[in-house]
Amino acid sequence: RTIRRSTKVPARLVTELAEAQAAGFDAWIAAKSSSDFSKFEPHLERLLDLTLERAQAIRDFEANYFSLGEEA
């Protein structure tokens, strides 16, 4: 199931998520050391947007996948 789900996420989105996670980690370290959440906030927003996009891609796949079984 995990493999089936992960293969339905577009490669572009996987790349964007990886890059956003790396940038977010660096921003989190900087924000934490200076106690300034505003340094991390835009990275968190980007990560949330990308995570929602990933969830939608999986949801769309699963809706189509399971509807095929109902037609049989």
Side-chain angles (χ1 to χ4, degrees):
R1 179 177 178 190
T2 302
I3 293 171
R4 184 177 65 226
R5 288 175 135 198
S6 64
T7 61
K8 301 309 169 192
V9 177
R12 169 205 56 85
L13 183 54
V14 172
T15 300
E16 286 184 42
L17 263 166
E19 290 171 353
Q21 289 169 342
F25 180 78
D26 292 340
W28 170 252
I29 297 299
K32 188 174 178 183
S33 68
S34 65
S35 297
D36 184 4
F37 178 73
S38 66
K39 292 179 181 178
F40 178 64
E41 187 175 9
H43 297 277
L44 179 59
E45 289 175 1
R46 178 74 176 142
L47 285 166
L48 289 173
D49 290 343
L50 291 170
T51 300
L52 289 173
E53 188 177 342
R54 179 182 179 275
Q56 185 63 50
I58 292 169
R59 203 169 24 252
D60 290 347
F61 165 74
E62 288 185 346
N64 291 333
Y65 180 81
F66 291 116
S67 69
L68 290 174
E70 294 170 3
E71 292 176 6

